[in-house]
Amino acid sequence: MTEGPRGAVGYFVHHQGRGHAERAAAIANRLIDCRPVTLFCARSDIFPALDPRIERIAIPSLFEAEGTAPPRLDAMPTPDTLHCAPVGWPTITRAVAAITAWFDDAAPALFVTDVSAELGQLARIASVPHVAVLQHGDRADPGHMASYAAAAGLLAPYHADLEQPERPRWMQAKTHYAAGVGVDMTALPTREAARARLSLSQDADIVLVLAGGGGTGTPTAPLTLGARDDAGAQWFTIGTIASEWHETPPGNLRHMGWVDNPQDWIAAADRIVSSCGNTTVQMVCAAGKPWIVVPEWRYFDEQLCKADALARAGVAAVAPHWPAHAGRWRALWDEARAIVPERQRAMVHDDAAERAARWLDHLATDLWAGAGVGRRDRQASEGQVTE
């Protein structure tokens, strides 16, 4: 792999939710001006608009079985150095084959994983330098730490003030913080313009419940308690929700379903309730609103750790679980109203994607500086050069 400093960058994108694809697209659309970019993902419908120069390679899902593995293979324990590594899944075999075949053909300068600790380790084994995208969570296990230690760099899609204090210094030393990457809030409308677009009253006190796309849906039973106690406000939900038979929905709670313009709804709201997926965090911080966060279950306690970071930074009122009575809602709103909007907005940088792309390009260039000096080049390995 001695093609020089302008070699391609490969980019694996996890297909759960939309945050991985949104930030990958934002970075790739800028990095493509510097060097070729190839995206690997099991889905194509989750990406926003991509520069036509960006190559996309569809791979099977690494996380969903195709058929059933033989019982003895299915029962094999997973070593501590791996997380999702079942045995006997042809989909994983084909995905890995597609990636390693590209490694051999493209001779890439860098491979980015967003996110897979296993693929980070695969790149290192294949002698390809990689960058691991960081997520919040309790990730001090051997699998994550092996991928982080083997990485040439770490990319954190959040502000440095939201870093987990327990992360070791050697990790932070090679981390680039891309605060707000993947969310373009520069064209966020005013509150008045957003309400006009949505045909909402300019005088109403509006609470927006923002449900993400990475889970099974926001439970609405707790929302009925909050809305019923907040009779002077109009509550709206957007996104996926999950209702229960025992609810008594009040008239001031309306479910709008999945929408294509969440920025308008966020701009129109006076107060916001949400979980803390990466995209949600960045959109709400960019808007600067009284904000209640209720973390959802995620692997490795990702949202619990992120909620702790938001609380430490003073940008959200955090509840460890959904409020179960009206008094708890009132206490959280008191805390949320004390948040300084300018502190929230400081968590997002408008040029985060451009900065991240430049960092990746410079990292790839620096890593391969002097490539080929005192070494066999790729032609020799293919038998095109003799002793």
Side-chain angles (χ1 to χ4, degrees), residues 42-227:
R43 289 177 59 182
S44 61
D45 61 322
I46 57 175
F47 287 93
L50 289 169
D51 188 295
R53 294 173 293 170
I54 296 171
E55 180 185 27
R56 282 189 285 178
I57 296 178
I59 58 173
S61 172
L62 297 166
F63 315 102
E64 297 159 278
E66 181 182 276
T68 304
R72 287 191 64 185
L73 291 180
D74 197 43
M76 288 184 65
T78 301
D80 289 343
T81 52
L82 300 171
H83 307 132
C84 182
V87 181
W89 284 27
T91 49
I92 295 179
T93 304
R94 292 200 301 271
V96 168
I99 293 170
T100 53
W102 182 82
F103 285 166
D104 184 53
D105 182 62
L110 202 61
F111 187 63
V112 183
T113 56
D114 187 2
V115 287
S116 171
E118 286 79 15
L119 291 186
Q121 294 184 65
L122 175 71
R124 181 61 186 258
I125 291 168
S127 199
V128 175
H130 80 277
V131 166
V133 173
L134 286 178
Q135 296 190 120
H136 287 86
D138 183 2
R139 301 179 192 271
D141 58 276
H144 278 110
M145 297 307 290
S147 180
Y148 298 156
L154 304 173
L155 177 60
Y158 49 84
H159 196 283
D161 288 356
L162 298 179
E163 184 57 279
Q164 295 175 207
E166 70 272 16
R167 290 256 164 93
R169 289 188 178 182
W170 63 262
M171 282 183 62
Q172 296 186 43
K174 63 178 178 180
T175 298
H176 174 81
Y177 293 94
V181 65
V183 176
D184 181 10
M185 299 297 285
T186 58
L188 187 73
T190 64
R191 175 180 177 274
E192 293 71 25
R195 292 193 176 201
R197 288 184 196 175
L198 298 170
S199 300
L200 299 174
S201 168
Q202 295 290 345
D203 299 324
D205 180 12
I206 293 179
V207 175
L208 175 67
V209 181
L210 188 61
T216 58
T218 294
T220 55
L223 306 182
T224 64
L225 299 175

Side-chain angles (χ1 to χ4, degrees), residues 25-38:
I27 294 171
N29 281 337
R30 289 158 178 82
L31 186 59
I32 193 65
D33 288 331
C34 304
R35 57 182 69 238
V37 180
T38 298

Side-chain angles (χ1 to χ4, degrees), residues 1-2 368-377:
M1 274 173 285
T2 58
W368 289 96
V373 177
R375 299 177 53 180
R376 267 181 218 271
D377 65 13

